[in-house]
Amino acid sequence: GPEREPFTDPRVLVPEPSGSGLGLISASRSRTPKPKTMFTRYAPLALLFFPMLASAQTTHWGMSSSGGEHGIGTIWKITEAGTFTRTHDFFRNEGGNPKCELVKYSGNGKLYGVTELGGVNGDGTIFSYDASTGVYTMVAEFANATTGSHPLRGLTVSGTKLYGTCSQGGASSNGTLFEFNPVTNAVVKKVDFGGTGAGAAATGTSPRGRLVLASNGLMYGTTFGGGTASGIPSIGRGTIFSYSPGATAVTKVFSMVQATGQNPSAGLMRPSAGTILYGVTFSGGANGFGVVYSFNTTGNVYADVHDLTAAEGKNPVGELVQSGSLYYGTCSTGGASNLGTLFSFNPTGAVYTKLHDMAVATGFEPVGRLMLAANGLLYGQTNRGSTNDDGVIFSFNTTGNVYTNLV
């Protein structure tokens, strides 16, 4: 079955029988918005902030990986006043169980994302969503060996193309990197991760994090496995790789090792200035709970800048986000009650500060990336907690470190 992030929904989407290969469709499926919260356990994972043209208020768009009318995810929006509206329910072949962020493509103003499952092959889809009309369109379907399967963290824009990774599939079933053209709706596999033979997995296997475009024009990403830990690729601890948009190969620039952080589920974050990227690993480090690390694209220099402890948070799976001079993130477990934490990291002095302990009543097990809104607040989601243990949407005010459960 598809690779699962920690705490994600164990159910699978069963596709309707059909042929194989990449399919493109032109028909749109539009659904009537249902203004009702229908999160189920393990639902929320991603947020997008998108200012609606018809309103002075900012509307925050996001998705849940389960729940909704068909139990396999939704698209929703929430205003800064706290009004929540579910706008789309995922349904079988058109895609299901999205675990990514939406991205706006300036060429047509639409939002784009991927689903881990769905499509005629059950390998996942790419979709567009028109926020002004509510029209959802599945624009491409993945096919295991041909283009990859089970994309997780979504798309990154470079020029007129969008790029992403599949966590599985491809020639060696270790994942792929693909290019998507939003004009023609064509998806092309550019890179196969892993392979056969000695050293074939050295470049990495099972990419799960977001790609990020660095100041040098290259994209950088991570893989959960592979690399050359102890010189044995098959038990590698993950890698960092670079990619030139449009190319047909990636370059491994670092192999993870247990002592300084291993198995990253998240991608890298590009700060507002400089050549140093920042990220987190799910495990490894001095205490085995993960690390915060830096990676300088000049010279490809990796540094473990903070080893997580049980008290301050464990097992981060979402990318960091910058607000002012600090970087913010979440840990999916650990903290006072082992329910997760929200933290800041100051790159000056490498100072890590736990700011909030998650709780059952107000949401716990956060796994997605925090997002910075126009009002200066951070927004995020949790997998579990609140009245029905369905997860919450929350805001966090960095002035005073105030956590507020919104939905």
Side-chain angles (χ1 to χ4, degrees):
E3 192 71 34
R4 293 289 176 184
E5 291 285 355
F7 315 119
T8 52
D9 195 338
R11 292 175 297 176
V12 297
L13 176 66
V14 181
E16 296 177 0
S18 187
S20 61
L22 174 66
L24 303 178
I25 68 169
S26 58
S28 301
R29 175 173 292 182
S30 178
R31 299 189 184 279
T32 303
K34 299 175 177 64
K36 178 181 178 182
T37 302
M38 289 189 68
F39 284 168
T40 64
R41 187 176 175 184
Y42 311 121
L45 271 175
L47 284 169
L48 171 80
F49 302 103
F50 179 64
M52 294 188 70
L53 299 179
S55 172
Q57 253 185 347
T58 298
T59 297
H60 312 323
W61 290 87
M63 296 189 291
S64 66
S65 63
S66 63
E69 184 176 348
H70 308 292
I72 56 175
T74 67
I75 299 175
W76 49 261
K77 62 182 179 180
I78 185 171
T79 68
E80 289 181 357
T83 301
F84 176 92
T85 305
R86 191 177 85 248
T87 64
H88 178 77
D89 294 286
F90 287 95
F91 181 70
R92 293 176 69 81
N93 276 12
E94 71 175 24
N97 303 107
K99 293 189 173 81
C100 71
E101 298 170 12
L102 296 163
V103 61
K104 184 181 179 182
Y105 177 64
S106 60
N108 57 21
K110 294 181 180 180
L111 310 179
Y112 284 83
V114 298
T115 64
E116 183 188 10
L117 302 174
V120 295
N121 306 295
D123 293 323
T125 71
I126 301 175
F127 67 87
S128 68
Y129 184 76
D130 191 322
S132 62
T133 63
V135 173
Y136 173 100
T137 307
M138 183 183 71
V139 293
E141 300 168 275
F142 288 96
N144 191 356
T146 307
T147 51
S149 61
H150 311 310
L152 295 176
R153 283 294 199 267
L155 302 162
T156 299
V157 179
S158 177
T160 60
K161 305 291 178 60
L162 287 76
Y163 293 86
T165 59
C166 288
S167 62
Q168 295 183 32
S172 303
S173 300
N174 288 313
T176 65
L177 188 151
F178 63 86
E179 176 187 86
F180 175 71
N181 186 330
V183 176
T184 63
N185 290 339
V187 61
V188 178
K189 179 181 69 175
K190 306 299 286 188
V191 178
D192 284 296
F193 287 95
T196 59
T203 55
T205 62
S206 187
R208 300 183 182 184
R210 298 175 68 248
L211 296 172
V212 64
L213 188 62
S215 58
N216 61 6
L218 297 177
M219 289 183 168
Y220 288 81
T222 62
T223 66
F224 189 80
T228 53
S230 303
I232 306 174
S234 62
I235 60 169
R237 309 296 186 180
T239 69
I240 300 173
F241 63 86
S242 66
Y243 175 72
S244 178
T248 56
V250 298
T251 300
K252 185 196 72 177
V253 292
F254 184 75
S255 286
M256 300 281 183
V257 295
Q258 186 172 1
T260 57
Q262 65 180 11
N263 303 128
S265 285
L268 294 145
M269 183 271 290
R270 174 185 171 181
S272 57
T275 62
I276 300 178
L277 309 176
Y278 284 83
V280 292
T281 68
F282 182 76
S283 60
N287 305 303
F289 303 135
V291 308
V292 180
Y293 66 87
S294 66
F295 183 78
N296 195 333
T297 59
T298 300
N300 295 331
V301 179
Y302 176 99
D304 171 5
V305 293
H306 182 77
D307 294 287
L308 296 170
T309 68
E312 62 192 20
K314 305 184 297 185
N315 309 128
V317 295
E319 289 82 7
L320 300 172
V321 64
Q322 182 175 3
S323 177
S325 61
L326 301 180
Y327 309 151
Y328 292 84
T330 60
C331 291
S332 61
T333 61
S337 302
N338 201 32
L339 299 176
T341 64
L342 190 153
F343 66 87
S344 68
F345 180 78
N346 190 335
T348 302
V351 179
Y352 178 104
T353 305
K354 181 180 70 173
L355 303 175
H356 177 75
D357 284 294
M358 297 292 172
V360 172
T362 55
F364 66 101
E365 289 178 5
V367 295
R369 182 169 71 127
L370 296 169
M371 300 296 285
L372 179 64
N375 61 5
L377 299 181
L378 298 173
Y379 287 80
Q381 302 180 75
T382 69
N383 268 334
R384 300 184 59 186
S386 193
T387 305
N388 300 309
D389 199 20
D390 294 338
V392 307
I393 303 170
F394 65 85
S395 67
F396 187 79
N397 191 334
T398 59
T399 301
N401 297 327
V402 179
Y403 176 101
T404 303
N405 179 0
L406 300 175
V407 175

